[in-house]
Each structure stands twice: as C-alpha cells, then as structure tokens.
Amino acid sequence: MLEKIPGAVGEALSGLKAGRDKTAVHSDFSDIPDTVTLTSPAFADGADMPARFTADGAGVSPPLAWSGLPAGTTALVILVEDAGSPTPRPLVHLIAWAIPPEQAELPEGALASPGHPGSGHALGQNSFLRAEWLPPDPPTGHGPHDYVFQIFALRQSPALAEAPGRGALIDAMRGHVLAKGTLTGVYYRS
C-alpha cells in the first residue's frame, strides 16, 4: 500500500520518524530488566530484514527464537513496532500474546499474515486493525525503518479480550512484566 506513495513524498517525510523512545520497551517498560535474548535465524540484530517478510515479498512472519526467561515466567508477549514510521507513534506490526514459556521459538510463517493462516496463535490488532502480522511496507525514499521486535516475559498471562489493541495490551501487562528483550530488523525502499 505505501509502496504507491511517490518517492519524492517519502523523501520529503524522511525527517519524520516516530522514534525508538516511543516503543513499548522504552516508553512503557523502561525500568524492566533487558535480560531476555531475542534472535532470528533470518537476520541479525540491527541488520536488514529479508524482503520475504515484507510487503515486497511473501509477507510471512519471520522466524524468532528466545532464551534467558526468568524463573516465574508463565506467558510471553511479542510486540513489533515500526520506530521509523512517519507517524506520531510507532506503527504496530504485530501483537502475539499468551505464548507459553516452554515454547522457545516461532518458525517462519507461524503467525497469521495476509494470505497466510499461521498456526493459531493468539494475536492482537496491528495498526491496520487486523489480528495478523502486518508486513513492513515503508514509503519509498523515506529511509531505513527500524522494526523493533519486543519480547516480554510475564508472571501471568494478561487477561484480554479477543484481538486486543496496543493500549489494552500495555494496560494488562503493567505490574506483570518480569523481563524483556529486543531484536531490530531494518527495512527500506530506496
């Protein structure tokens, strides 16, 4: 969808970015220990994300793995936000919640995305109000976008309605987050 924005408009907006400081790990849970390791076999932290996980490719969710969960973890939440979006707040690309702690990874395509059913994980609403992985789709010429994959280890699974939004998720997590971790994938259209 955003690939249709002319490159000149993307370049004109290149100085406007939501910023990492507005992602949940920084704005809502900055005091939580950053002790969970989140990785992907598809890209390194801070490296370019392969196009197959974006609107320019198949748009499937990337594979993720984690370790270092603290004792007492009963549920995991993964939240992905685009810190580079030309919006006041980062765009939400994924909310996955109620992930059991004994699950140490999500394979490629495990989460529902446009045209792909995933494998039945509890998902919240992305910024386009869909309970699925929103493939990165930055405006042409806007520059690199940091897609911040955030994992939260919780002492109890959040009590949420089906397909919660970011605000409901953050409110339900308050007081229950034991540890967090991040992985950043970069994507842009030149």
Side-chain angles (χ1 to χ4, degrees):
M1 184 166 120
L2 296 180
E3 74 278 1
K4 293 178 176 53
I5 292 176
V9 173
E11 288 176 26
L13 295 173
S14 65
L16 296 174
K17 298 198 185 242
R20 284 176 167 265
D21 60 322
K22 293 181 183 170
T23 59
V25 292
H26 297 294
S27 67
D28 299 290
F29 301 105
S30 61
D31 59 334
I32 302 298
D34 193 8
T35 56
V36 179
T37 301
L38 182 61
T39 61
S40 176
F43 59 93
D45 187 34
D48 291 346
M49 229 184 337
R52 72 177 175 273
F53 308 119
T54 74
D56 294 326
V60 296
S61 62
L64 299 170
W66 49 85
S67 62
L69 300 179
T73 300
T74 63
L76 302 172
V77 167
I78 297 175
L79 172 62
V80 182
E81 295 178 286
D82 176 7
S85 66
T87 54
R89 298 185 52 83
L91 284 181
V92 174
H93 283 260
L94 176 74
I95 294 173
W97 58 285
I99 300 169
E102 53 277 355
Q103 184 175 345
E105 64 181 23
L106 289 170
E108 181 175 317
L111 304 172
S113 62
H116 304 280
S119 51
H121 292 278
L123 301 179
Q125 291 183 15
N126 60 37
S127 286
F128 286 12
L129 304 178
R130 296 184 182 124
E132 63 186 12
W133 164 248
L134 175 62
D137 188 17
T140 300
H142 190 251
H145 281 223
D146 289 344
Y147 295 88
V148 183
F149 291 73
Q150 303 156 86
I151 188 166
F152 300 93
L154 282 74
R155 65 173 48 93
Q156 74 179 48
S157 187
L160 293 163
E162 186 176 332
R166 184 190 187 278
L169 174 75
I170 298 300
D171 288 346
M173 289 170 52
R174 289 193 196 284
H176 302 293
V177 181
L178 299 169
K180 66 186 181 194
T182 61
L183 168 69
T184 301
V186 178
Y187 193 71
Y188 59 94
R189 290 187 176 112
S190 51

